[in-house]
Amino acid sequence: MDYNRITPEILFEITAVVGNENVLTQRSEMENYSHDETEDLHFYPEVVVKPATPEQVSVLLKLCNQHLIPVTPRGAGTGLSGGALPVKGGVLLAMERFNRIIEIDEQSLQATVEPGVITEVFMNAVAQKGLLYPVDPASKGSCFIGGNVSHGSGGPRVVKYGTIREYILNLQVVLTNGDIIWTGANTLKYASGYNLTQLMIGSEGTLGVVTKIVTKLIPAPTQDVLMLASFPDNNAACAAVSAIFRAGVVPSALEFMERRGVEWVIAHDGIVFDLKDDAGAFLLIEVDGTNQEQIFAECEKINVVLEEFGCKDVLFADSSAQKEELWRMRRVMGISVKSNSVYKEEDTVVPRAELPRLIKGIKETGARYGFESVCYGHAGDGNLHVNIIKGGMSDEDWNTKLKDGIREIFELTVSLGGTLSGEHGIGLVQKEFMPIKYSETHFSLMRSIKAVFDPKGILNPGKIF
Ligand code: MLT
Ligand code: ZN
């Protein structure tokens, strides 16, 4: 598709909508907007535009649609699949001024927020009312809730509370023709035609621009126990995961970390942790609720399972500071790898009982292709992040052969009943692997949906398929 460039006349019209101070055109000012957290990729837009109201977005989309100018919506730029990269230039629609928590409704347990609110800021505001919004990706301190909607985000608590899909009731969306719609209703049930809200979630900014979000909230648990269990190897830790559920417990978090990941954060992030020689892999397990006796009973059941799978040592966090430190160890693992090595991250997800086979296959593939990987993730929901690090791999192998290794990992993932991404999205960097999982029939359906919402293809072009 050949898009048009932004002429001085169009730029004048854009500036008239949002004001001079909300339009960036200098390369130096646009640096921050030319990348996200995906590898070392940079794409510059022609212009960064920062609207603040749905009406402004509406005028901008109409204008760009009319002149065939690509528009790439962007949240906080914490994405891991290149979804917010303006690969075709044009307008980068920075949503950072949409930063208001409009309402927390304590009667219906709902909130209305704008997409540029930082996820943790929202979680804290809700927590002050004794409520919980549990969708907390590792980047919760910097990501925007709008980006979470676009990617169908998850995080550690999905295993008990579900992904963002379970918490979004309704979305205000601006369409490419300038129409402003609400996708559904502010209700817990919805049986009124196609569910446009769910279609919009995870659509990675390719169908419309989200300008308001209505979320469900739940009463906050009052207590939790956090434990770190160490196992002799990856297989034992991963095999214990599904056994915990079979024992009748649904933990509020069940995270896997391989030894290499813990070594990495100790070396690079100032994490103080007594890493024993016989610890090959870890499960970070949280159980929460409102009844202490019940939580202790669940921990007992978990302990029995841990022992069955050869767990050597269980560390119970005995203070909130220690809990925070253990969570920090897990949360910084991704950043640790990314800021200290050339890397490529995959976001595999399989039915949880298949985790042992998945991680074994990943390591075997790595051995065959000569790459090292640091694996960690939300094992309770079968989501394993695979950070492939360049290590001793030659530049040539990294640039040519690595792709085949990644392809093998995805083929294995799919053969185990899984898919390419559990929570990071497809964006730019995973789209070449989509045919491993999806057929021409799927692509034809997806293209048709795209064409209904965005007939001229101006919204976030070059992504997903
Ligand atoms: C995580 O769970 O740490 C996040 O998804 C980010 C990452 O994998 O880097
Ligand atoms: Zn994650």
Side-chain angles (χ1 to χ4, degrees), residues 80 138 330-331 334-335 338 345 376 378 385 387 423-424:
L80 294 164
R330 165 60 192 88
R331 284 187 189 281
I335 295 287
K338 290 174 187 75
E345 177 165 14
Y376 54 88
H378 318 294
H385 301 315
N387 267 287
E423 58 178 24
H424 294 170

Side-chain angles (χ1 to χ4, degrees), residues 374-439:
V374 179
C375 298
Y376 54 88
H378 318 294
D381 58 47
N383 188 190
L384 189 72
H385 301 315
V386 185
N387 267 287
I388 299 172
I389 47 184
K390 185 157 177 282
M393 210 172 182
S394 71
D395 286 353
E396 197 191 328
D397 284 356
W398 181 261
N399 292 326
T400 55
K401 288 197 193 144
L402 181 64
K403 267 204 176 129
D404 295 335
I406 294 173
R407 184 166 291 281
E408 276 189 25
I409 290 176
F410 281 138
E411 280 166 358
L412 171 67
T413 306
V414 170
S415 76
L416 295 172
T419 189
L420 312 185
S421 174
E423 58 178 24
H424 294 170
I426 298 301
L428 177 67
V429 295
Q430 306 299 19
K431 71 174 181 172
E432 68 181 290
F433 301 108
M434 285 285 273
I436 295 174
K437 167 77 183 158
Y438 301 102
S439 68

Side-chain angles (χ1 to χ4, degrees), residues 10-45:
I10 297 173
L11 186 60
F12 181 79
E13 288 192 53
I14 289 174
T15 307
V17 178
V18 294
N20 220 358
E21 64 286 12
N22 295 308
V23 177
L24 310 178
T25 52
Q26 299 305 311
R27 209 172 156 86
S28 56
E29 321 173 292
M30 297 197 291
E31 209 284 325
N32 274 345
Y33 299 90
S34 70
H35 61 90
D36 58 10
E37 296 290 331
T38 314
E39 302 157 30
D40 194 19
L41 298 172
H42 285 258
F43 291 87
Y44 281 81

